[in-house]
Amino acid sequence: MPSLLDSRSLALFLAVADALSFRQAAEALHLSQPPLSRAIRELEERLGTRLFDRTTKGVGLTDAGQRLLPYARSVGKLLRDAEAAVACRGVPPALRLGLTSAVEPAWFRGLAQRLQAAQPGTTVTTVSDTSPRLVRQLGVGKLDAAFVALPTQAPGLDVLELDRLPMVVAMPSSHPLAQRRQVRLGDLVHAPVFWFERARQPAFYDHCQQVFARHGFAPPKLREPADHHVLLAEVAGGRGMALLPRSFTALRRPGVVYRALAEGEALAVGIGLATREGRQPLREVLVAAAGVVPQSLATPPPARAKARREAPGATTRRR
């Protein structure tokens, strides 16, 4: 008797269960939404039960979906372990590498070229996307590794923190606060602030909200444009301010200045290397090409240690 379940159906179910969005799951799987929705309906028909509640407010797991979820994760892990057991454990000849679109640290530049120089014969393809999407692509085998923003939920993956980027304030150069070298969240409480939507990076969004609550920071919020150049144009035009990782200070725009934020370390964006389990040799090659000392091996100054204690326990900003 044929099984009602198969690895592909479970992978599709898991993608929707993790994203709780058919659209986001389809994007992560590089599918259009109708075939994904159709495949989930066919799975539900075979099982004789609904796995997802679909409402105008969103998607949620039914009781049956909740019961299936741990089994789907276990099967996915077993398949990944089996692939790792028979595959080359070093750098694959066609390396698929994800880069978070949340931050642009200097060491991202030329990373693919450094990898190809260190591993002759290797072709490196990079994909820039939001960290949650990169995690999903890595989980289903679409990527070999990914540099993701932290914190981001990454179930079943090994995540090594490599870097931390404190938050700074981008403001109009004509604003009175631009005369200071450092500002506090309390100084910005009445200024409109551009901020990203929770769906783009839930774990980091929730972490920031906790920090904001501790400091009583609840300014008027504006929807943050996905394009950073558009965002800086809005700031230059005086529409609002933006909280950004320090790496964005490399983006120069007339009418915009960056100022240090006193709470910048507590809001710091981490950068982590995510791989599937058992890929230690690949991880070592990627860390060497990045040219940064993993945070777990570095001795943090007191401020950084405090910021790390404030961060949520789950591994992996924004976009």
Side-chain angles (χ1 to χ4, degrees):
M1 179 178 176
S3 173
L4 300 177
L5 293 170
D6 58 80
S7 59
R8 180 178 183 275
S9 296
L10 287 175
L12 298 180
F13 162 76
L14 193 55
V16 179
D18 285 339
L20 291 181
S21 164
F22 280 85
R23 177 183 60 79
Q24 292 182 15
E27 290 176 355
L29 295 168
H30 299 288
L31 298 173
S32 59
Q33 187 171 332
L36 175 60
S37 298
R38 186 163 55 250
I40 295 297
R41 282 198 303 272
E42 291 172 354
L43 174 61
E44 291 176 323
E45 289 172 2
R46 291 201 304 272
L47 295 175
T49 186
R50 287 185 303 107
L51 300 173
F52 295 100
D53 283 324
R54 305 161 177 85
T55 69
T56 56
K57 295 182 179 180
V59 176
L61 283 166
T62 63
D63 289 342
Q66 291 281 8
R67 292 194 297 271
L68 178 60
L69 185 59
Y71 292 100
R73 292 203 193 284
S74 296
V75 170
K77 182 179 183 303
L78 283 172
L79 290 173
R80 292 192 298 271
D81 290 346
E83 291 173 358
V86 299
C88 172
R89 291 183 173 270
V91 180
L95 176 62
R96 302 160 300 174
L97 182 62
L99 300 176
T100 177
S101 56
V103 292
E104 298 179 15
W107 52 270
F108 270 16
R109 294 192 291 273
L111 180 59
Q113 291 77 9
R114 294 195 299 276
L115 282 167
Q116 290 175 159
Q119 301 289 319
T122 298
T123 301
V124 181
T125 303
T126 60
V127 175
S128 179
D129 210 331
T130 66
S131 297
R133 290 179 184 173
L134 292 178
V135 165
R136 289 195 290 272
Q137 291 180 48
L138 182 57
V140 298
K142 299 285 186 180
L143 295 173
D144 298 298
F147 290 99
V148 297
L150 303 176
T152 290
Q153 298 295 331
L157 299 177
D158 286 334
V159 180
L160 175 67
E161 184 176 2
L162 298 179
D163 204 356
R164 286 181 67 83
L165 303 173
M167 203 77 78
V168 299
V169 184
M171 65 177 66
S173 56
S174 59
H175 196 281
L177 290 176
Q179 304 304 313
R180 302 185 186 181
R181 298 187 64 176
Q182 184 184 76
V183 296
R184 295 183 172 276
L185 288 175
D187 299 325
L188 311 177
V189 70
H190 299 300
V193 173
F194 287 100
W195 199 241
F196 62 100
E197 296 177 294
R198 185 181 184 276
R200 295 166 74 173
Q201 185 72 38
F204 185 76
Y205 183 98
D206 292 343
H207 167 58
C208 290
Q209 289 301 115
Q210 293 171 11
V211 177
F212 291 164
R214 286 200 295 271
H215 293 276
F217 182 63
K221 290 183 180 177
L222 304 172
R223 184 175 180 177
E224 183 180 278
D227 187 287
H228 303 132
H229 297 283
V230 174
L231 170 62
L232 293 182
E234 296 277 16
V235 173
R239 188 165 174 229
M241 299 188 183
L243 303 181
L244 297 169
R246 187 173 55 192
S247 62
F248 282 88
T249 58
L251 296 177
R252 298 298 178 181
R253 167 84 191 195
V256 176
V257 296
Y258 301 95
R259 292 295 177 259
L261 180 66
E263 298 85 358
E265 278 284 355
L267 293 167
V269 181
I271 305 177
L273 172 58
T275 57
R276 293 189 293 276
E277 295 178 355
R279 303 303 299 271
Q280 182 66 24
L282 173 60
R283 189 165 69 172
E284 291 173 357
V285 170
L286 292 171
V287 170
V292 292
V293 178
Q295 291 298 303
S296 59
L297 303 180
T299 301
R304 178 174 292 171
K306 179 177 182 294
R308 193 170 304 160
R309 288 194 297 272
E310 292 179 343
T315 52
T316 340
R317 164 171 149 150
R318 293 167 67 119
R319 304 174 273 281

